[in-house]
Amino acid sequence: MSDVIHLNLGFTNVYLLKSDSGYVQFDTGYKHNMKKYLKLLEKNQILPEEIKLIIINHAHFDHTGALKETKELTKAQVLVHENEKEFVAKGISAEVRPHTFLTKLLIPTMPKSWARTDPVEPDIVIIDNYSLEDFGIKAKVIHTPGHTPGTISVITEDGDAIVGCNLHGPPLRLRRGFPAIYYDEESIWKSWERIIEEGAKNIYISHGKPFKVDLMKKKLAKRKKAK
Ligand SMILES: [Zn+2]
Ligand SMILES: [Zn+2]
């Protein structure tokens, strides 16, 4: 699990993959995370200008909050799914639909202004199966909807899967598992199956620690049994 560089910004995890020509970054944190982000880059001996691409898991403000600053700093290209393009370009968040006791309680109390981000025009808009070979990384970006309609995941040839909010862990829920926030349940189960089919072994999520794919396999099997 050592090829994925993990920057823990507090609530949101940012991940980086290294190639001979630079780095590919997965997500940004909140705008107020910038200082911490820069410190962690330095700690990992990464120069901002070495980051060539920023992939956005989905258009929620905890993933896109610092996108404008990060893009300006790194001059990296920004990649999003077609379904999230408008949100990122307009600086708004995709719909947030809470499904757990805690998120149902908390989210309506949050000021609407929180969901506003600085608009960023994406450079690369994808549908599915986008190869990162041009960026020197043996990995592809796949469409894994459910949390939002345009949520995407990165899966490397070695089986490292950066899946963002396809699963949630603490603090969004006590144990790692089904997202606490999503727009369509069935799509999430299908996305999990896809992630497994694509050869995922190690799962990296946006909120919570990494784990092995077995957890997803077990939960899928349990669901099939219950059906
Ligand atoms: Zn989200
Ligand atoms: Zn999130």
Side-chain angles (χ1 to χ4, degrees):
M1 288 174 117
S2 59
D3 284 351
V4 180
I5 300 157
H6 176 194
L7 309 185
N8 182 352
L9 298 183
F11 182 68
T12 310
N13 295 319
V14 163
Y15 296 105
L16 291 132
L17 294 167
K18 190 184 190 323
S19 80
D20 293 339
S21 53
Y23 293 86
V24 168
Q25 178 172 327
F26 192 86
D27 279 331
T28 69
Y30 293 103
K31 203 190 274 190
H32 66 253
N33 287 151
M34 267 319 263
K35 237 185 172 170
K36 195 167 189 184
Y37 166 74
L38 288 172
K39 251 192 192 159
L40 289 171
L41 278 190
E42 205 184 319
K43 200 176 155 201
N44 284 279
Q45 297 177 316
I46 301 168
L47 297 170
E49 56 267 32
E50 289 181 294
I51 298 164
K52 305 297 177 197
L53 177 70
I54 304 163
I55 297 172
I56 294 299
N57 177 245
H58 66 282
H60 280 160
F61 56 94
D62 53 320
H63 299 249
T64 54
L67 182 59
K68 187 168 183 255
E69 282 82 0
T70 314
K71 184 171 168 59
E72 278 173 5
L73 180 81
T74 58
K75 311 274 184 295
Q77 296 190 71
V78 171
L79 181 151
V80 300
H81 188 269
E82 168 76 28
N83 297 345
E84 313 285 296
K85 182 179 88 177
E86 284 271 310
F87 298 115
V88 175
K90 285 185 178 156
I92 50 178
S93 274
E95 195 191 340
V96 177
R97 284 192 206 170
H99 287 275
T100 57
F101 178 75
L102 186 73
T103 54
K104 275 183 187 168
L105 204 71
L106 288 179
I107 284 168
T109 67
M110 282 163 46
K112 287 261 179 296
S113 58
W114 271 43
R116 304 284 316 182
T117 56
D118 296 315
V120 172
E121 199 58 52
D123 303 284
I124 302 169
V125 176
I126 69 148
I127 304 286
D128 197 7
N129 276 322
Y130 180 86
S131 167
L132 292 178
E133 218 136 313
D134 284 352
F135 295 90
I137 311 251
K138 285 186 177 144
K140 62 176 171 178
V141 188
I142 59 166
H143 185 206
T144 50
H147 177 68
T148 67
T151 299
I152 51 181
S153 300
V154 173
I155 304 193
T156 72
E157 248 185 28
D158 299 332
D160 287 322
I162 309 173
V163 305
C165 283
N166 276 288
L167 292 96
H168 280 155
L172 275 169
R173 45 172 302 156
L174 288 176
R175 290 200 192 125
R176 288 167 296 205
F178 212 79
I181 295 157
Y182 55 86
Y183 91 98
D184 182 47
E185 183 183 341
E186 202 51 45
S187 302
I188 291 182
W189 290 114
K190 280 198 188 124
S191 290
W192 281 25
E193 279 174 351
R194 172 92 191 271
I195 289 164
I196 293 163
E197 273 165 28
E198 296 285 353
K201 289 181 195 144
N202 308 311
I203 310 295
Y204 297 83
I205 55 176
S206 298
H207 315 291
K209 288 182 181 150
F211 52 92
K212 297 280 176 195
V213 72
D214 304 23
L215 184 133
M216 290 167 77
K217 287 182 180 167
K218 267 186 211 151
K219 286 189 189 289
L220 271 166
K222 203 171 158 190
R223 177 174 184 257
K224 271 190 186 144
K225 235 185 185 175
K227 257 185 152 185

